[in-house]
Amino acid sequence: MASPLNNTTTSDQEMADLERHDYVERVQWVLNTPKLPGLSQELIGTAVSWRNKVPFLNMQSGLKHELFSMLKATFPILSWCQNYNPNQFKHDLLAGLTLASLCIPQSIGYATLAKLDPQYGLYTSVVPPLIYTLMGTSREIAIGPVAVISLLLSSMVQKLEDPMANPIAYHKLVLTVTFFAGTFQAAFGLFRSGFLIDFLSHAAIVGFMAGAAIVIGLQQLKGLLGITHFTNKTDVVSVLKVVWSSFQHPWNPYNFLLGCSFLIFILITRFLGRKNKKLFWLPAIAPLVSVVLATLIVFLTKADKHGVDIVKHIKGGLNPSSVDQLQFNGPHVGELAKIGLIVAIIALTEAIAVGRSFAAIKGYHLDGNKEMVAMGFMNIIGSFTSCYVATGSFSRTAVNFSAGCETAMSNIVMAVTVFISLELLTKLLYYTPVAILASIILSALPGLIDVNEACNIWKVDKLDFLACIGAFLGVLFATVEIGLLVAVTISFAKIIVVSIRPGTETLGKLPETDAFGDVNQYPMAVKTPGVLIMRLKSALLCFANANFVRERIMKWVIEEEKDSKLRNAEKTIQIVILDISNLMDIDTSGIASLEELHKNFDSNGMKLAIANPRWQVIHKLKLANFVTKIGGRVFLSIGEAMASFSI
């Protein structure tokens, strides 16, 4: 008869064998993964996703239904107009009229900032808003010319053609840039490449906008001071030199007094509007009231005879066709395409940021790809109808939202109102002083400078702040392009540094849990004697960072060995468990670095184990026979690896 002691020993052995069998079986879950989809399958999957997203490619249901689905996908107005009611139109009508009162003077001012005749700003506030209403998904965004895009165009296109010496040729180049910008925007949306606009990080945009606002403000000193000879350069040093030299000659103060007076008036109305939400209409109509009053003052006092600069003739009527003015065969086509790409990205970044901000407040989703397509087609068609690059304006969108707009119909009301003004009111603007347009632009600039956000960026991420300040100083002291280049370069450098110098962390078991955490983050985490658990803090182990990671791991192992000897620990390191749960992909250089680690550990009497590998990573490790080389020590989790070695 067997003794109880023998029975107990046999039972323990059976339990250990059962546990070992379970671990072996779970290891097979990791190793026997399905085959990864090949390149052809990935392409087929993309085609299928496109088939599902574009209704007319999926012809399983009736043709009529599919055709209507296609039209609704292309023109979202068909979806929301079905339930449109008179009460919504009442709100949209009020919002559209309020929007037009702000849009008309701003559009004229932004056209002069872009070094175009005033009517082109009004043209840009007619056709693009109508096209966007048909194709866009935002309910609040107000479409038209904006200050930053106007500055971009004037600063870059004037290097190819002088707007003062040859305004017709300059205008043709601006129209061509608009066509290229629209083409790029539409392509981004159609090919779902919106990630490209993310190369301009939030921090870079904050710095760029602030720098552009100051540059735009300095440019308005020409109109505010009545300076006749002004520099074409945009940097602060060149502009201040011109301003300083102008004070050394006799100058007329009437422009300055008129412009500053109405600038103060506009800023006061804005302050009152912010204090009392019911007075939202006051800052909205203040620019138009300023234009009307200033024009009357100049007309009645004959101030234009005493040195006050006026707009003079503004060509009215419907947008003329400009298809024959696009320049595709000239010597500057490549440069125009490059400018178009830059302008397209900046315009999309501003518009989508504005649209998403207000969509979040209203609680609905903004389709980024549809927005890109809508912006693209409105600028392509705009280039055919004498418009320059249009996008979403933050200041006008805020007015549209405050005025209680319900749908994009407010853009249609605004466009119709601007068109009526083009037909009937342009002659009345003959005596409008240029200083008023400068004051209107200046009043819109404080919204582009976000000091609080810059401070938050500094607190959260110093490298992000470096991109922010780089863009700001680049725009301010060099050119707009250099500012953008500096911001993008710093952002890319940040990505590269993070990629090639990923961190590693030593893990320990958290008391009374099955979880493992970084011992620096969780000082209470307990290390297991003889076992070193490390985790890679990188999504990619490749040629760029493989050697750095290998050296970092070896350094940690050597330091742990020294610490063990200093503590006279019973066990030095026998097992190194590498948690690669963060690792999404690996290349041959990464695999080679792991093999070298294994050889170094093996020669020093240590074993290497892998925990929690991802699908693509374990697939490549098997193809490279790395799993066999380390004796199949691949586990589902750190806990599984620890338990396996303890059996």
Side-chain angles (χ1 to χ4, degrees), residues 72 119 162 168 228 278 301 395 417 425 435 555 583 612 623 626:
K72 285 202 297 184
Q119 65 267 18
D162 189 346
I168 295 175
T228 52
K278 293 181 180 179
T301 62
S395 61
T417 307
L425 304 178
K555 181 181 177 181
L583 200 62
N612 201 7
L623 291 177
F626 178 76

Side-chain angles (χ1 to χ4, degrees), residues 280-344:
F280 70 87
W281 52 270
L282 192 59
I285 67 169
L288 186 60
V289 170
S290 300
V291 168
V292 172
L293 291 178
T295 303
L296 280 173
I297 291 171
V298 172
F299 175 73
L300 295 173
T301 62
K302 307 291 184 183
D304 57 309
K305 304 292 185 183
H306 301 282
V308 174
D309 296 329
I310 58 174
V311 173
K312 297 183 180 179
H313 179 66
I314 298 179
K315 185 179 178 181
L318 184 66
N319 291 36
S321 174
S322 55
V323 176
D324 58 337
Q325 297 184 43
L326 300 179
Q327 305 288 302
F328 297 122
N329 298 319
H332 303 306
V333 175
E335 283 295 317
L336 295 176
K338 183 189 78 172
I339 296 170
L341 177 61
I342 294 172
V343 170

Side-chain angles (χ1 to χ4, degrees), residues 527-533 556-577 601-607 642 645:
K527 293 183 181 180
T528 303
V531 179
L532 177 62
I533 308 169
W556 272 105
V557 171
I558 292 170
E559 288 179 355
E560 285 290 323
E561 285 274 87
K562 289 180 179 177
D563 288 345
S564 297
K565 290 177 181 178
L566 288 174
R567 295 194 308 266
N568 296 320
E570 294 181 2
K571 292 185 177 180
T572 56
I573 296 175
Q574 296 177 336
I575 304 158
V576 178
I577 300 174
F601 292 160
D602 194 53
S603 62
N604 287 283
M606 291 180 280
K607 296 178 180 179
M642 295 282 288
F645 285 114

